[in-house]
Amino acid sequence: MPESLSAAHILAEKIDRDGPIALSEYMSIANMAYYAAKDPIGEDGDFVTAPEISQMFGELVGIWLADLWMRKGRPDHVHYVELGPGRGTLAADARRAMGKFGCDPDIHFVENSPVLKAKQATLHNSAAWHETIDSLPTDAPLLVVANEFFDALPVEQFVSTEAGWRHHMVARERNKFIAIPGTEAIQNQVSSASAGLPVGTILESSPVSVQILGELSNRIAMQGGVIVIIDYGYDRPGTGSTLQAVKDHLPVSPFDSPGTSDLTAHVDFHTLGNIAKTRLLSVHGPAEQGQWLKALGIDQRAQKLAESDPKQADAIRAAHHRLTHLDEMGRLFRVMAATSMDWPEPEGFVYGEG
């Protein structure tokens, strides 16, 4: 994408020339421009992720991975892979915790943003960077972490009309971007189970998410290892649009100034879990993030940190609340893991497999 042209300009020019485009294409172009232009994470950015809230999050992810590695028999060679690693904070905290148990994997980041790559390099100068998952190593088990990665991948939407199901498209009206039903009927793309739903009903899917998880699951099935997905989403299929945008920590319209706000949609854990199962992986969860972190010992870790640094005790308790409370990230965010069949069952999923 030319640096001199904004996402809004590129999208407007494309729509004016070719007509309405699929919502997934709109989201892809907008987010590509957004992440290429800035570091959106932190109080001075648009949103804050769990690793930036507290070191406890990354430490517990690292301990969780190290526990799996130890119970597998401490393989000599493993790779830590993070999808969309932000500033590299999670990997730094996780790697520090893993090292205390003798687990020192190579670090691999799947990242396209030049701005974030530069931030990651300050913490991980020995990491290997990948544009896609295709170039990830094939010689050893993979410990894959995807924290707030799948929510930023493009989604497709289908809308029920009087004339049948249509793709949700993005058009322009009075120089503004708007969502409209497409004109072409959808053939064999919406299941028969959706028949009879009221006019105006919206269904979502993310073929890109399915493709990426399918390819990673194939790798894990062959090489061994695990993928843990931590994100906001839903456990069972539903209806309605979950597309949203945030700018300066406030919700905005996804169709206002594309490329200047973070576009996301809720993750369909039900579908992703089924994809992993078809690759013969063992799926665990999804569990609520708060439950998972508590099962891993975040309460005890928060208490120990507060005792060791009393001046930061209030901040530590506030971070613990934000990560685990039902009204904060504790319930909205889900955690799901998929392991190769010959790897141990991971800790933290108190309700068993999903």
Side-chain angles (χ1 to χ4, degrees), residues 56 297-307 316-317 320:
M56 295 184 289
I298 194 171
D299 294 348
Q300 295 82 355
R301 180 57 175 155
Q303 182 177 349
K304 185 174 180 180
L305 285 173
E307 290 173 352
I316 292 166
R317 282 190 285 268
H320 174 274

Side-chain angles (χ1 to χ4, degrees), residues 28-353:
S28 178
I29 292 172
N31 271 355
M32 187 180 301
Y34 175 74
Y35 282 100
K38 62 183 290 189
D39 172 6
I41 304 169
E43 297 299 337
D44 295 330
D46 294 323
F47 57 87
V48 178
T49 59
E52 303 295 335
I53 293 171
S54 172
Q55 68 186 71
M56 295 184 289
F57 184 84
E59 287 173 345
L60 289 174
V61 170
I63 291 170
W64 183 85
L65 291 171
D67 171 70
L68 274 174
W69 171 78
M70 289 188 292
R71 288 191 285 126
K72 176 57 182 171
R74 298 173 176 261
D76 291 336
H77 193 195
V78 291
H79 301 288
Y80 174 95
V81 177
E82 191 168 342
L83 310 180
R87 294 172 168 173
T89 305
L90 192 162
D93 293 335
R95 190 179 187 184
R96 183 177 65 253
M98 295 168 76
K100 293 180 179 179
F101 299 92
C103 184
D104 185 26
D106 297 333
I107 306 297
H108 296 266
F109 292 146
V110 179
E111 180 62 74
N112 291 308
S113 167
V115 178
L116 291 175
K117 281 182 182 179
K119 292 286 182 74
Q120 295 154 16
T122 63
L123 292 176
H124 307 277
N125 55 18
S126 63
W129 279 266
H130 305 263
E131 295 291 321
T132 70
I133 63 174
D134 297 339
S135 60
L136 290 173
T138 60
D139 61 337
L142 303 177
L143 309 177
V144 185
V145 178
N147 179 63
E148 294 198 50
F149 170 78
F150 282 95
D151 66 294
L153 297 180
V155 294
E156 293 182 349
Q157 288 185 349
F158 309 96
V159 57
S160 175
T161 72
E162 294 285 359
W165 287 93
R166 298 288 189 268
H167 279 285
H168 233 172
M169 311 291 285
V170 178
R172 290 226 303 157
E173 183 179 272
R174 297 177 181 177
N175 294 324
K176 292 184 178 181
F177 297 101
I178 60 170
I180 64 169
T183 58
E184 296 183 8
I186 295 173
Q187 300 295 332
N188 301 322
Q189 294 190 46
V190 180
S191 70
S192 58
S194 63
L197 291 174
V199 169
T201 299
I202 294 174
L203 300 177
E204 277 184 350
S205 68
S206 179
V208 175
S209 298
V210 167
Q211 178 185 355
I212 290 175
L213 187 64
E215 292 175 4
L216 278 172
S217 296
N218 286 337
R219 287 289 205 93
I220 291 170
M222 292 186 293
Q223 296 173 230
V226 60
I227 178 170
V228 58
I229 301 171
I230 308 169
D231 226 317
Y232 53 88
Y234 47 92
D235 301 348
R236 294 288 180 265
T239 62
S241 173
T242 69
L243 179 67
Q244 58 191 24
V246 65
K247 184 176 182 179
D248 297 328
H249 302 273
L250 296 173
V252 297
S253 169
F255 302 105
D256 287 347
S257 301
T260 66
S261 61
D262 181 41
L263 298 185
T264 62
H266 285 210
V267 174
D268 181 355
F269 282 98
H270 178 78
T271 294
L272 294 185
N274 284 339
I275 292 298
K277 289 175 183 177
T278 65
R279 272 62 171 186
L280 301 182
L281 299 189
S282 179
V283 175
H284 311 270
E288 293 178 0
Q289 177 177 289
Q291 294 174 334
W292 188 73
L293 291 174
K294 284 177 176 291
L296 299 185
I298 194 171
D299 294 348
Q300 295 82 355
R301 180 57 175 155
Q303 182 177 349
K304 185 174 180 180
L305 285 173
E307 290 173 352
S308 64
D309 190 357
K311 292 182 179 180
Q312 294 297 316
D314 288 344
I316 292 166
R317 282 190 285 268
H320 174 274
H321 180 87
R322 190 167 179 182
L323 291 171
T324 64
H325 197 270
L326 297 180
D327 293 334
E328 298 280 352
M329 299 175 72
R331 173 173 288 168
L332 175 64
F333 279 71
R334 301 284 198 270
V335 183
M336 185 177 75
T339 58
S340 57
M341 285 295 188
D342 59 343
W343 272 58
E345 182 171 339
E347 295 293 337
F349 297 97
V350 294
Y351 297 109
E353 291 192 358

